[in-house]
Amino acid sequence: MYKVKITFVACFLVACGACSKREEAAVPEKTGAPSPAPAASPTDACSLLTSEEIQAIQGEPLQDAKLSRPGDGALAISQCFFGLPSFAKSISLQVVGKGSGSRGAREDWREIFSPGNGVEGETEAGEAKKAPQRIPDLGEEAYWSTGPFTVLHVLEGERYLRISVGGADDEKTKLEKSKSIARLVLPRL
């Protein structure tokens, strides 16, 4: 449970620009007719979505994209914070794969989502915790987590995604938007 909390807090801090290992990613310029999907490096989360796709999902164009690579190298983590004009509507996309450690992303996934990992129960403040909701027909496995942050987790092959969509939408709408993003990103991994 502690690892899940730390993961969510880390995602939030990176999304808010608190991470010191930050790189500015170029925002691809788009004109006229739609172009084919961008060629994506498995370690560059910022290359996995276009401004047009973000605007179609969130109703606003991409303002900037910030790439970070948090972690100690045991897992290869690439996170992109897609900043929108309305900051609260921004999107965070994280891709986790095998790094220099002996453990891969699939093993990490199993640890996070294995039964009895402390996901259910009570928080340290005594509040009830909800177990992640299994999402069918998305990747090999997918879970929707709610709490301080709403996050869609999707396992595919030797990588997994974490997608967090901001804004004032209700949970159901955020889930649908997150699933739309996952369906765009998965074929590009």
Side-chain angles (χ1 to χ4, degrees), residues 106 109-110 139-142 153-157 159-161:
R106 186 174 284 277
W109 177 273
R110 294 287 173 234
E140 289 178 44
E141 282 184 52
H153 309 263
V154 184
L155 175 68
E156 184 66 33
R159 294 187 189 101
Y160 65 86
L161 305 174

Side-chain angles (χ1 to χ4, degrees), residues 1-7 74-75 96 102-120 132 141 143 153 155 160 162:
M1 177 57 199
Y2 180 73
K3 186 173 183 174
V4 172
K5 280 184 182 179
I6 293 298
T7 300
L75 291 172
V96 180
S102 61
R103 230 170 76 147
R106 186 174 284 277
E107 290 85 5
D108 192 56
W109 177 273
R110 294 287 173 234
E111 183 179 311
I112 294 169
F113 294 106
S114 66
N117 68 355
V119 176
E120 292 183 27
E141 282 184 52
Y143 291 94
H153 309 263
L155 175 68
Y160 65 86
R162 287 191 186 111

Side-chain angles (χ1 to χ4, degrees), residues 71-87:
D72 59 7
L75 291 172
I77 301 172
S78 175
Q79 179 164 325
C80 190
F81 180 75
F82 296 96
L84 303 184
S86 300
F87 184 80

